[in-house]
Amino acid sequence: MTLNASDPAAIEQAAQRLAAGGLVGMPTETVYGLAADAGNASAVSRIFTAKGRPSDHPLIVHIPPAEAGDWRASVALLAHSVPDFAVALMAAFWPGPLTLILPRRPEVAAVAAGGQDSVGVRCPAHPVAQALLKAAGRHGVIGVAAPSANRFGRVSPTTAAHVAEEFAELGDEQLLILDGGACPVGIESTIVDCSRGHPVLLRPGMLTPAQIEAACGQPLRERDEAAPRASGTLESHYAPRAKVRLMSGEQIQAALDVLGQDAKHIAVYTRTTQRAARAVAQRRMPADAAACAQELFAVLRELDATGVKLIWVETPPEGAEWDGVRDRLQRAAA
């Protein structure tokens, strides 16, 4: 069942579904999430089952905006200690596409956390997500676990239609989807581990390391072997059915020139390639990182739906602003 999220009655219906232990397809500014009450172990288990996701692969818990800007208090029900640099990051980027890994209160969200003693938390900026979280809170839901609303390891959804396609076999009683339009950011949140006394980048997104360091006043360290498990950090992820290959624009053009009119079962997503056979499905990649991120998953889904066997993607440019897009494409091609 898909409901128009502009209807307040739809928001309330979705909130009641969450409070009753059901699943909701929830729009955020990053991607659509498959949401359940983070405090309800049975409901969270339904997420893992629906996605085919390993139960030790942790989920991110979404919370509503802080009252009077008191972010430390807003995470107090989930985290037992919050370092000052984490609070500074919340103040700078919440609501927004940043997830922070914090020390988890042992009595809450154990299933959502994949059994770890830490929990990923973020406050989404999307108005529909915020309205749903506030409404669910009035029904006793302290936070909503919501990984991307797709089969595990596949391309993330950025429209309500994508969610409906992914879970077509789930009936109206099993999944309610709120249609809040296309996601404006388009790739998942940046993840920073704040559970070990210093900020560690676990997953890049659309926030650059320089922005994060400026906000928290500390150097951002790279992931190490002691880092907690986090969403979207497996080597292979975000993958369509077709094989994705990252290539330079010159390599793509040379390969297309060699194949000529014999090119079949190939799609290309490039900034620079000019010539391709009519049989080749071709989409132009924006030269702006934010614009590319916004459409990336939708384009991969569109090209995959043509039935091609190969999707050739031009390697993103160097530069921190492209790190999130580059990360998603490298995992899709792994």
Side-chain angles (χ1 to χ4, degrees), residues 100-142:
L100 302 180
I101 307 296
L102 301 169
R104 180 177 62 84
R105 288 191 177 279
E107 69 274 15
V108 298
V111 177
Q116 296 186 116
D117 58 6
S118 59
V119 61
V121 185
R122 93 172 180 98
C123 176
H126 199 291
V128 173
Q130 291 189 6
L132 177 59
L133 290 166
K134 291 176 182 177
R138 293 191 288 271
H139 291 279
V141 176
I142 65 171

Coordinates of all heavy atoms in Angstrom, one line a residue, residues 100-142:
L100 N 25.9 9.0 13.3 CA 27.0 8.9 14.4 C 26.8 7.6 15.1 O 25.7 7.2 15.5 CB 26.9 10.1 15.3 CG 26.9 11.5 14.7 CD1 26.8 12.5 15.8 CD2 28.2 11.7 13.9
I101 N 28.0 6.9 15.3 CA 28.0 5.7 16.0 C 28.3 6.0 17.5 O 29.4 6.7 17.8 CB 29.0 4.7 15.5 CG1 28.8 4.4 14.0 CG2 29.0 3.4 16.3 CD1 27.6 3.8 13.6
L102 N 27.4 5.7 18.4 CA 27.5 6.1 19.8 C 27.4 4.8 20.7 O 26.9 3.8 20.3 CB 26.4 7.0 20.2 CG 26.3 8.3 19.3 CD1 25.0 9.1 19.6 CD2 27.5 9.2 19.7
P103 N 28.0 4.9 22.0 CA 27.8 3.8 22.9 C 26.4 3.6 23.2 O 25.7 4.5 23.7 CB 28.6 4.3 24.1 CG 29.5 5.4 23.6 CD 28.8 6.1 22.5
R104 N 25.9 2.3 23.0 CA 24.5 2.0 23.2 C 24.1 1.7 24.6 O 24.9 0.9 25.3 CB 24.1 0.9 22.3 CG 22.7 0.4 22.3 CD 22.4 -0.7 21.3 NE 23.2 -1.9 21.6 CZ 22.8 -2.8 22.5 NH1 21.7 -2.7 23.2 NH2 23.6 -3.9 22.7
R105 N 23.0 2.2 25.0 CA 22.4 1.7 26.3 C 22.1 0.2 26.2 O 21.4 -0.2 25.2 CB 21.2 2.5 26.7 CG 21.5 3.9 27.1 CD 20.2 4.5 27.7 NE 20.5 5.9 28.2 CZ 21.1 6.2 29.4 NH1 21.4 5.2 30.2 NH2 21.3 7.4 29.7
P106 N 22.6 -0.6 27.1 CA 22.4 -2.1 26.9 C 21.0 -2.6 26.8 O 20.7 -3.6 26.3 CB 23.2 -2.7 28.1 CG 23.3 -1.6 29.1 CD 23.3 -0.3 28.3
E107 N 20.0 -1.8 27.4 CA 18.7 -2.2 27.4 C 17.8 -1.8 26.2 O 16.7 -2.2 26.1 CB 18.0 -1.6 28.7 CG 17.7 -0.1 28.7 CD 18.9 0.7 29.2 OE1 20.0 0.1 29.2 OE2 18.7 1.9 29.4
V108 N 18.4 -1.2 25.2 CA 17.7 -0.7 24.1 C 18.3 -1.1 22.8 O 19.5 -1.2 22.7 CB 17.4 0.8 24.1 CG1 16.6 1.3 25.3 CG2 18.8 1.6 24.0
A109 N 17.5 -1.4 21.8 CA 17.9 -1.5 20.3 C 19.0 -2.5 20.1 O 19.8 -2.3 19.2 CB 18.3 -0.1 19.8
A110 N 19.0 -3.6 20.9 CA 20.1 -4.6 20.7 C 20.0 -5.3 19.3 O 21.0 -5.5 18.7 CB 20.0 -5.6 21.8
V111 N 18.8 -5.6 18.9 CA 18.6 -6.3 17.6 C 19.0 -5.3 16.5 O 19.6 -5.7 15.5 CB 17.2 -6.8 17.4 CG1 17.0 -7.4 16.1 CG2 16.9 -7.8 18.5
A112 N 18.5 -4.1 16.5 CA 18.8 -3.1 15.5 C 20.3 -2.9 15.4 O 20.9 -2.6 14.3 CB 18.1 -1.8 15.8
A113 N 21.0 -3.0 16.5 CA 22.5 -2.7 16.6 C 23.3 -3.9 16.1 O 24.5 -3.9 16.2 CB 22.9 -2.3 18.0
G114 N 22.6 -5.0 15.7 CA 23.3 -6.2 15.3 C 24.1 -6.8 16.4 O 25.1 -7.5 16.2
G115 N 23.6 -6.6 17.7 CA 24.3 -7.2 18.8 C 25.5 -6.5 19.4 O 26.1 -6.9 20.4
Q116 N 25.8 -5.4 18.7 CA 27.0 -4.6 19.2 C 26.6 -3.7 20.4 O 25.5 -3.4 20.6 CB 27.6 -3.7 18.0 CG 28.1 -4.5 16.8 CD 28.7 -3.6 15.8 OE1 29.9 -3.7 15.5 NE2 27.9 -2.8 15.2
D117 N 27.7 -3.2 21.1 CA 27.4 -2.3 22.2 C 27.4 -0.9 21.8 O 27.5 0.0 22.6 CB 28.4 -2.6 23.3 CG 29.9 -2.4 22.9 OD1 30.1 -2.0 21.7 OD2 30.8 -2.7 23.7
S118 N 27.3 -0.7 20.5 CA 27.2 0.7 19.9 C 26.0 0.7 19.0 O 25.5 -0.3 18.6 CB 28.5 1.1 19.1 OG 28.7 0.1 18.0
V119 N 25.5 1.9 18.7 CA 24.3 2.1 17.8 C 24.5 3.3 16.9 O 25.1 4.3 17.3 CB 23.1 2.2 18.7 CG1 23.1 3.5 19.6 CG2 21.8 2.3 17.8
G120 N 24.1 3.1 15.7 CA 24.2 4.3 14.7 C 22.9 5.1 14.8 O 21.8 4.5 14.8
V121 N 23.0 6.4 15.0 CA 21.9 7.3 15.1 C 22.0 8.4 14.2 O 23.1 9.0 14.0 CB 21.8 7.8 16.6 CG1 20.6 8.6 16.8 CG2 21.9 6.7 17.6
R122 N 20.9 8.8 13.6 CA 20.8 10.1 12.9 C 19.4 10.7 12.9 O 18.4 10.0 13.2 CB 21.3 9.9 11.4 CG 20.2 9.6 10.4 CD 20.9 9.6 9.0 NE 19.9 9.4 7.9 CZ 19.4 10.3 7.2 NH1 19.6 11.6 7.4 NH2 18.5 10.0 6.2
C123 N 19.4 12.0 12.7 CA 18.1 12.7 12.6 C 18.0 13.2 11.1 O 18.7 14.0 10.6 CB 18.1 14.0 13.5 SG 16.6 15.0 13.3
P124 N 17.0 12.6 10.4 CA 16.8 12.9 9.0 C 16.3 14.3 8.8 O 15.5 14.8 9.6 CB 15.9 11.8 8.5 CG 15.1 11.5 9.7 CD 16.0 11.6 10.8
A125 N 16.6 14.9 7.6 CA 16.1 16.3 7.3 C 14.8 16.3 6.5 O 14.2 17.3 6.4 CB 17.2 17.0 6.5
H126 N 14.4 15.1 6.0 CA 13.2 15.1 5.1 C 12.0 15.4 6.0 O 11.8 14.8 7.0 CB 13.1 13.7 4.5 CG 12.2 13.7 3.3 ND1 10.8 13.9 3.4 CD2 12.4 13.5 2.0 CE1 10.3 13.8 2.2 NE2 11.2 13.6 1.3
P127 N 11.1 16.3 5.5 CA 10.0 16.7 6.3 C 9.0 15.6 6.6 O 8.4 15.5 7.7 CB 9.3 17.8 5.5 CG 9.8 17.7 4.1 CD 11.2 17.1 4.3
V128 N 8.9 14.6 5.7 CA 8.0 13.5 5.9 C 8.6 12.6 7.0 O 7.9 12.1 7.8 CB 7.8 12.7 4.6 CG1 7.0 11.4 4.8 CG2 7.0 13.6 3.6
A129 N 9.9 12.3 6.9 CA 10.5 11.5 7.9 C 10.4 12.1 9.3 O 10.0 11.5 10.3 CB 12.0 11.3 7.6
Q130 N 10.6 13.4 9.4 CA 10.4 14.1 10.6 C 9.0 14.0 11.2 O 8.8 13.8 12.4 CB 10.9 15.6 10.5 CG 12.4 15.7 10.3 CD 12.8 17.2 10.4 OE1 12.0 18.1 10.7 NE2 14.1 17.4 10.0
A131 N 8.0 14.2 10.3 CA 6.6 14.2 10.7 C 6.3 12.8 11.2 O 5.6 12.6 12.2 CB 5.7 14.6 9.6
L132 N 6.8 11.7 10.5 CA 6.5 10.4 10.9 C 7.2 10.0 12.2 O 6.5 9.4 13.1 CB 7.0 9.4 9.8 CG 6.8 7.9 10.1 CD1 5.4 7.6 10.4 CD2 7.4 7.1 9.0
L133 N 8.4 10.5 12.4 CA 9.1 10.2 13.7 C 8.4 10.9 14.9 O 8.3 10.3 15.9 CB 10.6 10.7 13.6 CG 11.4 9.8 12.6 CD1 12.7 10.6 12.3 CD2 11.7 8.5 13.2
K134 N 8.0 12.1 14.7 CA 7.2 12.8 15.7 C 5.9 12.1 16.0 O 5.6 11.9 17.2 CB 7.0 14.2 15.3 CG 8.2 15.1 15.3 CD 7.9 16.5 14.8 CE 9.2 17.4 14.7 NZ 8.9 18.7 14.1
A135 N 5.2 11.7 15.0 CA 3.9 11.0 15.2 C 4.1 9.7 15.9 O 3.4 9.3 16.8 CB 3.2 10.9 13.9
A136 N 5.1 8.9 15.5 CA 5.4 7.6 16.1 C 5.8 7.8 17.5 O 5.5 7.0 18.4 CB 6.5 6.9 15.3
G137 N 6.5 8.9 17.8 CA 6.9 9.2 19.2 C 5.7 9.4 20.1 O 5.8 9.0 21.3
R138 N 4.7 9.9 19.6 CA 3.4 10.1 20.4 C 2.8 8.8 20.7 O 1.9 8.7 21.6 CB 2.5 11.0 19.7 CG 3.0 12.5 19.5 CD 1.9 13.4 19.1 NE 1.6 13.2 17.7 CZ 2.2 13.9 16.7 NH1 3.2 14.7 16.9 NH2 1.8 13.7 15.4
H139 N 3.2 7.7 20.0 CA 2.7 6.4 20.2 C 3.7 5.5 21.0 O 3.5 4.3 21.1 CB 2.3 5.7 18.9 CG 1.1 6.3 18.2 ND1 -0.2 5.9 18.5 CD2 1.1 7.2 17.2 CE1 -1.0 6.6 17.8 NE2 -0.3 7.4 16.9
G140 N 4.8 6.2 21.5 CA 5.7 5.5 22.3 C 6.9 4.9 21.6 O 7.7 4.2 22.2
V141 N 7.1 5.3 20.4 CA 8.3 4.8 19.6 C 9.4 5.7 19.8 O 9.3 6.9 19.4 CB 7.9 4.7 18.1 CG1 9.2 4.3 17.3 CG2 6.8 3.7 17.9
I142 N 10.5 5.3 20.4 CA 11.6 6.2 20.8 C 12.6 6.4 19.6 O 13.4 7.4 19.6 CB 12.4 5.7 22.0 CG1 13.1 4.4 21.7 CG2 11.5 5.6 23.2 CD1 14.1 3.9 22.8

